[in-house]
Amino acid sequence: MTYPIRVLFLFTHMNRGGAESMVMNYYRHIDRTKLQFDFMVHRQERGAYDDEIESLGGKIYRMMPFYPLTFPQYKKQISEFFDKHSEYQIIHGHCSELGYFVYREAAKRGVPHIIAHAHNSHAQFDLKWPFRTYFKHRMRKYLTEHFTCGQESSVWLFGSKLAKKAILQRNAIETDKYLFNPDSRKRVREEFHLPSDALVIGHVGRFERQKNHDFLIDVFQEIAALRSDAYLLLVGGGGNLESEIKQKVKEKGLDNKVIFTGVRPDVPDLLQAMDVFLFPSFMEGLSLSMLEAQSAGLPCIASDTIPREVEMTDLITFYPLKKSPLEWAKQVLSAASKPVDRSIYPQKIKDAGYDICQNAQWLQNYYLSLLN
């Protein structure tokens, strides 16, 4: 066997989303003399992680976006890619059913290990729903292995029978980075001109419908009415709804209360500045953001639609989305009033099996065992 073995990952792009950040955590901690990660992405613009990928020795291949009107050109492009690249013996897809044409072409070429990875518990009903449903069923026969971050995600993507065989890959993190640090808390609050004694509500996520920012702003409006010292820190950028959410904040007169940080590389530090983590998503897999928030010792108020597998500590309160914004606001303020020893939670996440060092060794051994 010739080292390093190169594994091809499929993504839409390599920005700072949950799945992308998870894979980068693993990439930083594998032995890159034995294993290398390469990436097939579906955007021409560079992603937030592209520079780091290339510095670690990874290759990035850019395909056209996966749209119904471009299927013929896309299939041709994928075929041409495999004409040039016969070196990949392991393909690991992180774009759910959108990997269908890659999986099919790889199977046709005799690639021995074709993995799809389930990250979300279900898809939202929209114009893409019929295509997504069709392709997730069609892709299954081309897969040789099935990975998932949690049981509900696995059932949605693979079906009940195949989900029983799916391999759990933990959304592992560097737990020590989230140890409570008063200096980081002070620095971040000073950067965003937040009073040292202010109540800071936080959220991390792209501005997509899945994350339910529209409702989040309604909840914060009620919090601000009850607590004049409350602020909202929204970490992340991109997504279809970013400009719409910014406009809503402006219309509600919350401009001086809501901070949009944009995409940031220092999420562990930003979490230190928060007091409560608010996460009213419509759907999730095993959310990396929720794992990070718990490791940082933040009380978390999350929607009851999120899989319970994310509950690694006693910090989470699951609350129904059918409740009013005012009722949610009261839950947030109740959580903020309870004292928490934030320093103990990185070890709790590590004890739950979600520290990256051990998990990266497991993944490396798994890949190498496939080829042995």
Side-chain angles (χ1 to χ4, degrees):
M1 185 182 297
T2 302
Y3 293 110
I5 302 301
R6 307 195 78 93
V7 179
L8 182 66
F9 288 83
L10 311 184
F11 276 100
T12 301
H13 46 58
M14 287 305 295
N15 282 332
R16 296 183 186 277
E20 295 87 346
S21 295
M22 181 204 78
V23 168
M24 291 303 297
N25 282 341
Y26 277 88
Y27 191 15
R28 296 179 190 113
H29 289 84
I30 60 168
D31 181 349
R32 291 185 297 278
T33 66
K34 293 183 178 179
L35 202 65
Q36 261 295 345
F37 290 2
D38 296 334
F39 296 82
M40 177 186 285
V41 299
H42 295 79
R43 296 291 184 271
Q44 295 305 305
E45 63 271 17
R46 291 183 67 81
Y49 285 125
D50 285 11
D51 288 346
E52 184 179 1
I53 289 168
E54 291 169 347
S55 73
L56 295 174
K59 301 174 183 176
I60 302 172
Y61 305 101
R62 301 189 187 280
M63 304 293 120
M64 65 176 60
F66 185 91
Y67 296 138
L69 293 177
T70 63
F71 282 171
Q73 300 98 303
Y74 182 75
K75 287 188 286 185
K76 182 174 184 292
Q77 191 176 41
I78 295 301
S79 178
E80 291 173 348
F81 173 85
F82 282 105
D83 286 342
K84 299 174 183 176
H85 297 281
S86 59
E87 69 268 29
Y88 294 108
Q89 300 298 294
I90 303 173
I91 295 174
H92 195 149
H94 290 269
C95 44
S96 296
E97 71 288 340
L98 301 184
Y100 167 74
F101 287 120
V102 177
Y103 303 145
R104 188 179 74 171
E105 189 65 28
K108 188 190 304 182
R109 305 292 181 115
V111 175
H113 301 287
I114 304 170
I115 305 168
H117 199 125
H119 285 283
N120 275 319
S121 54
H122 61 85
Q124 294 170 291
F125 187 82
D126 55 20
L127 293 176
K128 299 177 183 177
W129 177 272
F131 294 101
R132 301 195 69 177
T133 301
Y134 173 79
F135 284 122
K136 79 171 182 177
H137 285 91
R138 294 282 293 175
M139 75 172 192
R140 293 170 184 169
K141 64 182 177 181
Y142 301 117
L143 304 176
T144 60
E145 285 88 19
H146 311 77
F147 271 46
T148 186
C149 65
Q151 183 62 22
E152 291 185 31
S153 302
S154 184
V155 170
W156 183 82
L157 189 60
F158 304 130
S160 299
K161 186 176 180 179
L162 289 176
K164 295 176 182 177
K165 303 177 182 178
I167 295 167
L168 174 66
Q169 182 183 349
R170 291 184 170 92
N171 287 359
I173 61 175
E174 294 182 68
T175 54
D176 292 342
K177 283 188 173 183
Y178 298 86
L179 180 65
F180 183 68
N181 186 325
D183 292 334
S184 295
R185 180 180 176 88
K186 182 174 183 291
R187 178 186 62 78
V188 172
R189 287 194 170 215
E190 287 177 349
E191 177 185 348
F192 293 110
H193 308 291
L194 298 170
S196 60
D197 58 348
L199 172 65
V200 179
I201 314 302
H203 178 271
V204 179
R206 286 193 191 109
F207 291 88
E208 300 284 359
R209 182 174 179 271
Q210 168 191 346
K211 301 298 183 181
N212 203 9
H213 284 90
D214 189 66
F215 182 71
L216 192 155
I217 298 301
D218 290 338
V219 172
F220 179 71
Q221 184 179 29
E222 298 290 354
I223 294 171
L226 295 169
R227 284 279 300 263
S228 60
D229 64 338
Y231 292 83
L232 177 62
L233 199 61
L234 295 178
V235 181
N240 298 323
L241 301 177
E242 184 170 4
S243 59
E244 182 178 313
I245 296 302
K246 287 181 176 178
Q247 181 62 29
K248 178 169 183 171
V249 167
K250 185 176 181 180
E251 290 172 356
K252 287 184 173 291
L254 295 171
D255 305 61
N256 62 338
K257 291 284 189 176
V258 180
I259 295 95
F260 294 85
T261 72
V263 176
R264 299 273 297 219
D266 57 344
V267 171
D269 289 341
L270 297 178
L271 292 171
Q272 307 300 316
M274 301 173 188
D275 297 301
V276 181
F277 197 75
L278 184 54
F279 209 68
S281 292
F282 287 115
M283 65 175 191
E284 291 287 340
L286 198 149
S287 166
L288 187 70
S289 294
M290 288 286 288
L291 197 63
E292 292 173 329
Q294 290 176 85
S295 194
L298 284 171
C300 303
I301 310 300
S303 56
D304 60 353
T305 57
I306 294 175
R308 295 305 192 269
E309 294 160 290
V310 77
E311 190 175 11
M312 304 295 170
T313 69
D314 58 355
L315 290 169
I316 298 183
T317 298
F318 293 103
Y319 205 61
L321 282 176
K322 65 182 180 181
K323 296 289 187 178
S324 70
L326 178 58
E327 290 172 300
W328 270 75
K330 290 178 179 178
Q331 282 290 321
V332 171
L333 294 178
S334 174
S337 69
K338 298 172 184 176
V340 176
D341 181 0
R342 294 178 65 168
S343 66
I344 67 175
Y345 286 94
Q347 187 61 48
K348 287 180 178 289
I349 299 300
K350 186 178 291 188
D351 291 344
Y354 282 81
D355 186 70
I356 189 59
C357 294
Q358 181 179 355
N359 283 281
Q361 185 64 51
W362 167 83
L363 183 64
Q364 177 176 307
N365 291 341
Y366 180 83
Y367 285 146
L368 295 178
S369 71
L370 291 179
L371 300 184
N372 284 332

